[in-house]
Every structure is written in C-alpha cells, then in structure tokens.
C-alpha cells in the first residue's frame, strides 16, 4: 500500500494528519460546520492551527457544538463561564496578547 502524500505542514502529528486527510481543502456545505471553522479561525489569530485543533473539543463543548441559535442566547453569565474555561483559548478585551 502506498503511503499517503501530505503537505509538509501536517508533519508527524496524528491530529494534524487527520485534519489534513479528512477536512483540509475539501468543500464544506454544512452551515454549522462552516460557522465552526470561522469561529476557530478567529480564535487562531496569532496561534498555530495545531493549538486550535488540540482545543477543538473544548470549543465545541463551550460553544454548544457551535449551534448559532444557542450561542446567540449567551448571557453575561455565559461569557464569565467562557472566560474561566481552561479548555478554550481566551483573552480579556484590552489585555496584551501573547
């Protein structure tokens, strides 16, 4: 069996390889999945995609599986909860970045 050909950025990390093989560069038509990707891209700013993928399940949990109807109903209490959630990337507004 021939070895898969992957882009160099996938490296030897199984998580990055799985993302490369199953998601990267493939058309996405599911609006929930597209919104998830957009949200994760926003959290990724200045960080590696690998960092985001390692916390993806935490983001899914924190943001109700990226259900926009549920997220639209988030309150200040939910924001406080998110700011304490170590399973996601968070930064207070106005705080210096990494």
């Amino acid at each position: 069996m021939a070895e898969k050909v992957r882009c160099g950025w996938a490296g030897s990390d199984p998580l990055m390889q799985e993302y490369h093989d199953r998601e990267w560069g493939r058309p996405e038509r599911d609006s929930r999945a597209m919104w998830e990707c957009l949200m994760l891209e926003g959290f990724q700013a200045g960080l590696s995609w690998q960092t985001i993928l390692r916390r993806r399940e935490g983001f899914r949990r924190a943001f109700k599986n990226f259900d926009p109807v549920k997220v639209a109903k988030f309150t200040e209490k939910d924001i406080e909860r998110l700011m304490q959630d170590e399973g996601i990337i968070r930064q207070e507004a106005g705080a210096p970045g990494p």
Side-chain angles (χ1 to χ4, degrees):
M1 178 185 277
E3 189 173 329
K4 283 192 180 223
V5 176
R6 292 187 178 104
C7 299
W9 59 260
S12 60
D13 183 313
L15 190 60
M16 293 292 282
Q17 290 177 349
E18 181 178 348
Y19 175 76
H20 178 280
D21 295 350
R22 295 177 183 241
E23 296 180 62
W24 184 78
R26 295 183 188 238
E28 181 60 71
R29 292 177 179 83
D30 177 82
S31 61
R32 196 228 41 93
M34 287 191 289
W35 194 59
E36 175 180 334
C37 186
L38 179 65
M39 295 291 294
L40 293 176
E41 288 281 351
F43 280 100
Q44 186 263 338
L47 302 171
S48 72
W49 190 243
Q50 183 180 46
T51 298
I52 299 303
L53 287 179
R54 290 186 190 283
R55 294 185 182 233
R56 188 182 214 178
E57 289 307 314
F59 279 112
R60 285 177 174 162
R61 185 190 70 257
F63 288 96
K64 310 294 184 196
N65 202 35
F66 293 100
D67 181 325
V69 172
K70 291 178 181 177
V71 173
K73 294 178 182 176
F74 277 13
T75 64
E76 288 295 322
K77 186 176 179 179
D78 291 302
I79 294 169
E80 290 173 22
R81 172 185 55 81
L82 292 171
M83 291 304 294
Q84 301 304 314
D85 190 337
E86 294 183 8
I88 63 172
I89 311 288
R90 61 235 189 270
Q91 175 97 17
E92 287 196 44

